[in-house]
Amino acid sequence: MTDISREYSEALFALAAEAGRGQEYADALAMIRGLLVENPDYIELLASPSIPMDERRAAVDAAFTGSETMDDIASFMKLLCERGHVRDIFDIIDDFQALYKSASGVSTAFITSAVELSETEKQSLCEKLEKKLGHRVELQLSVDASLIGGLIVRVDGKIMDGSIKNRLSDIKELIK
């Protein structure tokens, strides 16, 4: 999180909260993120100083208007273009989503496992984390075969490393 992305995401979050449309903004930003990932040249178009600002604003209006929320986000995107920060949009969206989840009492748990978890294991892990933390948890899963077995859980700034790789490392340190 950069200072720029934090400032812009906080401003956008304040606008969403003031309008009482936090979920709408979160959904719209997730959709926009997906579109921008699929069309990376669009960011370059919006950031290009060789394209007149009026044309860049028109491109934003053509792509991101329709509902009141999308109109607000289009205005926000135009502001980013004008201030030269449109390339920070992914960080801004990520920061906004984190602010929204935090305000909604939702944590994201980053789970790294040695093998793919089954649906039953995912559900059980999610339920245990929710019970331990006392609020809703969303899982973001990845696989790292070098762990040999077990899990690494990162949530709310805490790391719980129950991997076999970590346990072997601990044993190695004891032997030294």
Side-chain angles (χ1 to χ4, degrees):
M1 177 185 306
T2 65
D3 289 340
I4 290 170
S5 68
R6 184 176 49 251
E7 287 177 26
Y8 280 105
S9 62
E10 287 174 354
L12 189 59
F13 181 74
L15 179 64
E18 182 180 304
R21 296 192 317 260
Q23 182 66 55
E24 288 177 43
Y25 274 67
D27 293 344
L29 289 169
M31 181 205 54
I32 288 168
R33 184 182 221 304
L35 292 172
L36 294 175
V37 166
E38 291 174 11
N39 303 290
D41 292 340
Y42 191 74
I43 294 289
E44 295 308 312
L45 172 117
L46 296 178
S48 176
S50 64
I51 298 172
M53 186 58 67
D54 289 342
E55 289 181 32
R56 291 188 267 167
R57 284 189 204 109
V60 169
D61 284 335
F64 302 115
T65 55
S67 69
E68 191 174 347
T69 297
M70 288 306 281
D71 289 345
D72 289 349
I73 291 173
S75 294
F76 182 75
M77 292 286 291
K78 289 186 274 190
L79 178 70
L80 292 176
C81 289
E82 292 164 5
R83 301 251 172 106
H85 296 296
V86 75
R87 285 191 174 100
D88 295 314
I89 190 64
F90 292 113
D91 290 337
I92 293 167
I93 291 172
D94 291 346
D95 293 349
F96 177 93
Q97 299 291 12
L99 286 168
Y100 178 71
K101 285 180 182 178
S102 177
S104 301
V106 178
S107 293
T108 300
F110 299 91
I111 311 297
T112 307
S113 60
V115 296
E116 189 76 28
L117 299 178
S118 71
E119 288 303 317
T120 305
E121 290 169 326
K122 291 176 195 176
Q123 185 175 351
S124 175
L125 179 59
C126 189
E127 288 170 1
K128 287 177 183 176
L129 287 170
E130 286 175 345
K131 184 176 181 181
K132 180 177 177 119
L133 297 172
H135 58 268
R136 211 177 99 201
V137 175
E138 293 177 351
L139 302 181
Q140 198 168 72
L141 304 161
S142 63
V143 175
D144 180 356
S146 73
L147 297 180
I148 306 169
L151 299 171
I152 299 175
V153 178
R154 292 177 186 88
V155 63
D156 295 341
K158 298 174 187 144
I159 299 175
M160 297 167 258
D161 191 340
S163 66
I164 292 177
K165 180 180 179 180
N166 184 55
R167 290 179 188 168
L168 289 173
S169 177
D170 289 346
I171 292 170
K172 184 178 177 182
E173 287 298 314
L174 287 173
I175 293 173
K176 285 185 178 179

